[in-house]
Amino acid sequence: MMEETIKTKLHQQLTPTHLDVINESFMHNVAPGSESHFKVIVVSEQFEGLRLIARHRLVNQTLADELANHIHALAIHTYTPQEWSEVQQAPHSPMCLGGDK
């Protein structure tokens, strides 16, 4: 399962204190049971002092093979433990309106 692969790789590389991997494929025009659209919420001390783009690069590098071959879309939400203690949730993803809307 792609969801488990994502979890395993992010745990190994970023040692998160909190990790959510959410399959959002059902919100898009894909086949039932598809694993192509995901949202990840990663809380890690490794993000301390890093700008948002550097945090996203770490996630993208960790999942490079999956992004190149299996995942169509990945929403990334990264936090330090301090930031996460202040928000405790990531933004909700909107429903897909289709490719041309």
Side-chain angles (χ1 to χ4, degrees):
M1 280 179 58
M2 187 55 49
E3 185 175 335
E4 288 303 315
T5 299
I6 293 168
K7 285 180 184 178
T8 299
K9 285 191 165 192
L10 291 174
H11 267 293
Q12 289 173 346
Q13 188 67 31
L14 300 173
T15 333
T17 57
H18 178 89
L19 175 64
D20 285 327
V21 177
I22 303 159
N23 183 348
E24 295 186 328
S25 299
F26 70 93
M27 297 169 60
H28 302 273
N29 295 328
V30 296
S34 178
E35 288 191 300
S36 60
H37 293 69
F38 288 91
K39 174 165 85 173
V40 294
I41 302 165
V42 187
V43 180
S44 175
E45 291 180 5
Q46 291 187 40
F47 297 144
E48 292 286 346
L50 296 180
R51 300 182 90 156
L52 185 60
I53 189 74
R55 296 175 186 193
H56 284 214
R57 282 184 183 138
L58 284 173
V59 173
N60 285 330
Q61 289 168 355
T62 301
L63 301 175
D65 181 60
E66 289 72 23
L67 288 166
N69 299 301
H70 306 289
I71 299 173
H72 175 73
L74 181 65
I76 302 171
H77 302 278
T78 57
Y79 303 92
T80 66
Q82 177 62 37
E83 291 166 342
W84 184 247
S85 72
E86 296 168 8
V87 297
Q88 291 292 313
Q89 69 178 22
H92 294 285
S93 300
M95 291 297 285
C96 179
L97 298 175
D100 61 348
K101 297 188 172 71

